[in-house]
Amino acid sequence: MSAPIAISRTAPIAIAARRPRPEQSLETPNSQNNSHTNGRTHLSASMSSTASEAGTNIRSRKDRPCDACRRRKSRCVINEGQTSCVLCQFHTQDCTFVQSPQPRKRKLNTEGKEESSAKRRSPDRADERRRRPTESSISSTGATNSLVEEMANIGGPTLLKRTLGLQNDRYSQYIGPTTDFEPSLIDLSPFDPQDESLLSRGTLRKVSDVDTFLMLPDYTTPGYEHVIDDADAIENIVAPHGPALLELYFRIIHPNFPILQKVVFFEKYNRSYREFSPPILAAVYILAINWWDHSEELVNVPKPDIEELERLARVTLADAMYRPKLSTVQAGLLLSQRPEGDQWAPTAQLVAIGQELGLHLDCSNWKIPPWERGLRKRLAWALYMQDKWGSLVHGRPSHIFASNWAVQPLSPNDFPDVEFDESDVEESAEYEHGRLLFTQMIILSQILSEVLDTFYTLQAMAAVTQAGPQGTHLVLQLAKPVQLKLKEWFAALPQVLRMDSSSVTVNSNKLCSTGFLHLAYFATEITLHRRIIRSLSSAGTNPSSPSSPNTKPALDPYIVHICRSAAKTRLISAMDFVNRLNTTHLRSFWYFASKTNFALIGTFGSLLWATAPGREEAEWYRRRLGEYRWTLGVSSKGGGAEGGGNARLTEFAMGMLDTSTGLLKSLPEKPALSRVGSESENLGGTQRQRSIAEGYGYGYNTNGGGFGIGAARDRGDGSVGSYVDRDVDTDNGLNMKSGLASPSTSVSSSGGSAGGYEAFSAPPGSYGARTREEGY
């Protein structure tokens, strides 16, 4: 075995550290400022002095923030030996304590949430931790009291090895069960108190009884020598606007996509931008530039060279993949949220890197700092969502399978609890809203995964084809449990995530990102119903294909009727939802899949148009799609300034809709079918047909439509089963008025359209919903 080689440590990576304790120094020596010897001496002295002065308060006026932090509604952090807080240093301004504190506003206790929140963020518990700095906690979700782990949290140069995925001079590789490393032999290796064992090939790091990693040095990887130069080049492109861009990112994007840790990011940026991995620095800037006009400081100055910034992001991310760390996954996920940043191949690379880092494993009991356990879980689920929604929008097989996914659901303690002033009700509510949004999007993504696995794998599609005329029956049987899960998901949505609960008004400057969650819900519904409608054609009931009048349908006409009725209500509801979006939604952060999800609504309408049994119904879908395109055009203008913000959010959907409707021009002319000839003629034996339908979980109502997969509809519960289209049974829905405002149509819907989106989201009078007198 070769002797250990001393490897110099450079500046630590910026992302994913827990906020350090006030009594410990946050000064981290780097290659530009301090020697490594001085760093180790400083760290040792800090540990000694902290142990002997545990009860000393190093922050003046500890019970109140400085004037600037109070106005900014941010947590005020003053490091040891400093007279100014971190954010005042960051903004290069005086740190004063002149203004009198304002009386605190307390949020009413709602369903016990305030009590549980206080337990997690109690100042008394924080003071207790400061009084006992040498005690340690092994909880997988609680905050640590260990001085050693806390020093690791701030990226100390000696104890940074206590982390696993964010060491600045080493990267980790998960040792799988079938590699050339035999687990039984690994257990024979001598491990030191840091759970490491030095081998000639690298250093083994054991994080649990069954999970081991191989730690390798960064300096041997391609591009390592350019890291500092790359960081300088990225910062020079945006200078002097870097701080303003960070303010934009953490105000608009971060609350709804919490894969970074705000306080640590600002602290490290204040010391030096060189402490960041270049691709994560570039990714944050690139996303923030989309909201350039939302900053008073930036709105009147020229934007930086975004193309050069994106080029550097791609180059540095490719280099970082040779030494993968958690920051590599963070950068890749953020870059994928760009308007034109989503591509399938990079998603596959990110999944592979995540597996290299062990993100697919259960880290609940790993011997790593608690903050890293929470960060790993958030990153793992963000990667899961990227894979599943990428699979949907690109039509590719997913890379993540349930059989190799052991990540536990997120809990409140997996989110950092020091990113906002908990005494500020508005800011606390905003962050809580974002965390709920992130968590519910994860749950919806799991349902989407089930839809894709059940209906869109090669094996699943082959099974329906092989079933022949019985294919639709097979699809309906498989669809019922998935539809029930969607219904339960929506029914369980927290009130703050419902579109009608938003306090945002059209003229408000506050942005609301709830829209992308509801759009994703409609996309999941549409994906399910697209498979049902397709199965009708495979069962030999394609209405667009000419057939003999005496030909007996292979599928009961009643089943065809209710399948198309249910699909129609979903389409109407989705279009009405898009029509209700205003600028506070359109200018907010939208998840990367939203661009395609808008397009899927138009694609679904085109499918229903192509498969319509008669000329009248086809004409109705043509008009409705024309109205939807008009709405998309208006929405693109509300997304932001030209070339910025979300101006391009709906442009892709408009282009895709033009393509689909263009293809429909070559559709053979459909026959003019009367209501009797097209439906009632073949609907004999109502009781028999009703039994068949109810066997697949369809609701039936003799007074109108209201067909939906799942249990019999319960009007008003807001679930997908409560959508109603009363005109479907009276005139096949062909005379229904539009629910979309357009130059050529009335802004109204039938009662059925109201049941569509009004029951789903907004009761009359809220969130811009029309009153029933106006047609909603």
Side-chain angles (χ1 to χ4, degrees):
M1 179 184 301
S2 61
I5 300 175
I7 302 173
S8 62
R9 295 177 180 266
T10 55
I13 276 181
I15 312 306
R18 179 181 286 277
R19 178 189 177 193
R21 299 186 188 183
E23 65 266 23
Q24 297 163 0
S25 171
L26 293 178
E27 294 298 326
T28 302
N30 56 45
S31 57
Q32 286 72 41
N33 302 321
N34 300 304
S35 68
H36 301 297
T37 303
N38 290 341
R40 287 191 294 269
T41 303
H42 173 81
L43 181 64
S44 176
S46 174
M47 293 173 64
S48 307
S49 62
T50 305
S52 60
E53 302 175 9
T56 303
N57 177 24
I58 55 89
R59 171 179 169 179
S60 61
R61 301 170 178 87
K62 68 173 184 177
D63 294 329
R64 52 178 291 199
C66 70
D67 299 334
C69 286
R70 179 179 294 111
R71 290 193 301 269
R72 199 178 291 114
K73 299 179 180 179
S74 300
R75 184 178 291 272
C76 188
V77 179
I78 302 180
N79 297 329
E80 182 179 6
Q82 301 290 325
T83 58
S84 298
C85 72
V86 170
L87 290 180
C88 285
Q89 295 179 39
F90 176 77
H91 292 284
T92 317
Q93 62 187 26
D94 294 336
C95 189
T96 61
F97 293 82
V98 178
Q99 299 176 1
S100 300
Q102 298 296 322
R104 291 187 175 184
K105 298 179 181 180
R106 295 294 182 183
K107 184 167 61 173
L108 295 178
N109 191 346
T110 306
E111 300 178 357
K113 292 182 179 179
E114 181 178 332
E115 180 180 355
S116 61
S117 176
K119 290 181 179 178
R120 288 199 294 120
R121 298 193 289 266
S122 171
D124 294 335
R125 297 180 65 181
D127 292 339
E128 183 179 357
R129 288 198 295 272
R130 284 194 284 269
R131 289 193 296 269
R132 298 182 298 176
T134 57
E135 296 183 12
S136 62
S137 171
I138 311 179
S139 170
S140 63
T141 55
T144 175
N145 295 322
S146 167
L147 175 62
V148 172
E149 288 191 350
E150 287 294 325
M151 293 304 295
N153 290 346
I154 64 171
T158 301
L159 297 175
L160 188 60
K161 63 184 180 182
R162 293 292 296 168
T163 71
L164 176 65
L166 283 170
Q167 296 188 30
N168 193 57
D169 59 354
R170 298 190 301 176
Y171 64 97
S172 61
Q173 288 183 348
Y174 172 63
I175 299 177
T178 60
T179 65
D180 50 338
F181 278 100
E182 171 54 44
S184 300
L185 299 182
I186 290 178
D187 293 337
L188 298 177
S189 182
F191 287 89
D192 61 20
Q194 282 74 41
D195 300 302
E196 294 189 354
S197 179
L198 184 62
L199 303 178
S200 58
R201 184 170 166 181
T203 302
L204 295 178
R205 172 74 182 275
K206 199 170 184 63
V207 295
S208 71
D209 293 338
V210 296
D211 298 316
T212 307
F213 288 80
L214 183 66
M215 310 299 296
L216 299 169
D218 283 352
Y219 71 89
T220 61
T221 60
Y224 176 76
E225 64 277 10
H226 303 303
V227 170
I228 298 300
D229 292 339
D230 290 337
D232 289 343
I234 290 169
E235 188 67 21
N236 289 337
I237 291 175
V238 302
H241 307 304
L245 288 173
L246 293 189
E247 291 277 9
L248 277 176
Y249 175 86
F250 284 102
R251 173 162 58 93
I252 296 176
I253 303 167
H254 175 71
N256 305 295
F257 197 57
I259 64 172
L260 304 183
Q261 294 194 232
K262 177 180 177 180
V263 173
V264 175
F265 201 104
F266 274 104
E267 288 173 353
K268 290 183 177 291
Y269 191 89
N270 185 42
R271 290 196 296 271
S272 174
Y273 60 82
R274 290 179 172 180
E275 293 191 15
F276 291 90
S277 174
I280 191 65
L281 188 64
V284 168
Y285 287 152
I286 289 171
L287 279 189
I289 287 174
N290 286 319
W291 285 270
W292 185 270
D293 59 340
H294 284 256
S295 169
E296 295 180 359
E297 179 181 339
L298 302 176
V299 65
N300 294 320
V301 298
K303 292 183 180 180
D305 188 347
I306 185 67
E307 292 184 358
E308 178 62 14
L309 198 58
E310 290 179 342
R311 186 193 68 81
L312 284 172
R314 291 192 300 269
V315 171
T316 57
L317 182 60
D319 283 346
M321 289 182 179
Y322 288 105
R323 44 186 179 277
K325 302 174 185 180
L326 297 182
S327 58
T328 310
V329 179
Q330 290 170 324
L333 290 173
L334 291 181
L335 290 172
S336 296
Q337 308 307 311
R338 294 176 299 157
E340 304 298 332
D342 171 46
Q343 295 179 354
W344 185 237
T347 299
Q349 289 179 299
L350 289 179
V351 172
I353 291 173
Q355 293 170 344
E356 188 95 327
L357 297 171
L359 289 181
H360 61 296
L361 306 173
D362 180 9
C363 65
S364 302
N365 297 314
W366 283 9
K367 291 178 282 187
I368 57 176
W371 63 262
E372 186 175 353
R373 290 196 283 267
L375 174 66
R376 281 178 167 271
K377 290 175 66 176
R378 299 199 311 273
L379 275 180
W381 283 114
L383 189 60
Y384 179 94
M385 291 192 295
Q386 186 74 29
D387 176 74
K388 298 305 179 182
W389 288 99
S391 176
L392 171 70
V393 302
H394 293 290
R396 303 286 187 268
S398 171
H399 302 104
I400 295 177
F401 303 95
S403 57
N404 276 315
W405 188 257
V407 184
Q408 297 300 304
L410 289 179
S411 68
N413 287 324
D414 290 320
F415 294 90
D417 57 0
V418 292
E419 293 189 328
F420 54 88
D421 184 1
E422 62 269 19
S423 67
D424 185 87
V425 175
E426 183 176 346
E427 187 178 20
S428 299
E430 182 179 356
Y431 272 82
E432 185 65 22
H433 176 274
R435 293 172 180 183
L436 288 172
L437 184 66
F438 187 70
T439 303
Q440 289 298 321
M441 188 67 177
I442 292 172
I443 299 173
L444 181 61
S445 301
Q446 291 176 290
I447 301 176
L448 172 68
S449 177
E450 185 173 350
V451 171
L452 298 177
D453 291 343
T454 303
F455 300 103
Y456 290 96
T457 63
L458 295 178
Q459 185 176 6
M461 291 187 291
V464 175
T465 301
Q466 293 170 3
Q470 298 300 314
T472 300
H473 295 273
L474 175 61
V475 169
L476 294 177
Q477 287 176 337
L478 296 173
K480 180 179 177 179
V482 181
Q483 185 73 75
L484 289 175
K485 287 183 180 181
L486 279 169
K487 176 182 178 181
E488 292 167 358
W489 175 86
F490 181 80
L493 269 183
Q495 183 61 34
V496 295
L497 295 184
R498 295 184 179 274
M499 300 296 288
D500 59 313
S501 69
S502 174
S503 60
V504 178
T505 62
V506 176
N507 297 322
S508 173
N509 292 324
K510 183 179 178 181
L511 303 180
C512 179
S513 290
T514 309
F516 81 74
L517 178 68
H518 289 263
L519 180 63
Y521 166 78
F522 280 116
T524 306
E525 279 274 9
I526 284 173
T527 302
L528 176 62
H529 283 270
R530 284 176 77 183
R531 190 67 190 94
I532 296 173
I533 297 300
R534 289 182 194 172
S535 71
L536 301 179
S537 299
S538 63
T541 60
N542 187 355
S544 63
S545 302
S547 59
S548 171
N550 297 323
T551 302
K552 184 178 180 180
L555 190 66
D556 287 319
Y558 179 78
I559 297 296
V560 177
H561 169 67
I562 60 176
C563 285
R564 292 188 61 83
S565 297
K568 183 179 182 180
T569 59
R570 271 59 176 186
L571 177 67
I572 293 171
S573 299
M575 288 181 170
D576 286 351
F577 159 77
V578 177
N579 189 46
R580 292 167 185 265
L581 296 174
N582 57 47
T583 55
T584 60
H585 304 100
L586 294 170
R587 295 190 179 188
S588 65
F589 169 74
W590 286 78
Y591 194 57
F592 83 96
S594 300
K595 177 182 70 173
T596 305
N597 289 344
F598 277 113
L600 288 179
I601 297 174
T603 300
F604 188 47
S606 299
L607 172 64
L608 292 173
W609 176 0
T611 57
R615 184 185 308 163
E616 297 85 353
E617 184 176 343
E619 177 63 18
W620 185 88
Y621 283 115
R622 185 193 66 78
R623 293 196 308 268
R624 196 74 193 228
L625 288 173
E627 296 166 1
Y628 181 60
R629 192 193 187 285
W630 183 86
T631 301
L632 292 175
V634 174
S635 298
S636 68
K637 296 177 182 178
E642 183 177 356
N646 288 326
R648 291 173 290 176
L649 181 63
T650 59
E651 286 182 0
F652 176 80
M654 293 170 63
M656 194 63 237
L657 183 56
D658 290 342
T659 300
S660 298
T661 54
L663 294 173
L664 285 168
K665 292 180 180 179
S666 59
L667 192 69
E669 185 176 357
K670 296 178 180 294
L673 300 178
S674 66
R675 175 174 176 269
V676 174
S678 60
E679 296 178 7
S680 300
E681 181 179 291
N682 295 316
L683 292 182
T686 303
Q687 186 63 42
R688 177 180 65 85
Q689 303 288 357
R690 187 179 304 176
S691 300
I692 295 174
E694 292 175 350
Y696 295 118
Y698 280 86
Y700 181 80
N701 187 291
T702 56
N703 296 324
F707 305 105
I709 301 175
R713 61 189 176 90
D714 179 14
R715 290 184 55 189
D717 65 356
S719 69
V720 293
S722 67
Y723 294 144
V724 183
D725 185 356
R726 297 186 183 94
D727 286 344
V728 167
D729 209 21
T730 58
D731 62 359
N732 200 27
L734 303 180
N735 295 323
M736 181 187 299
K737 295 182 180 179
S738 168
L740 297 170
S742 72
S744 60
T745 58
S746 170
V747 185
S748 62
S749 286
S750 72
S753 178
Y757 189 67
E758 181 181 336
F760 170 79
S761 170
S766 66
Y767 185 57
R770 283 78 167 172
T771 63
R772 190 166 298 278
E773 288 74 13
E774 294 173 309
Y776 278 89

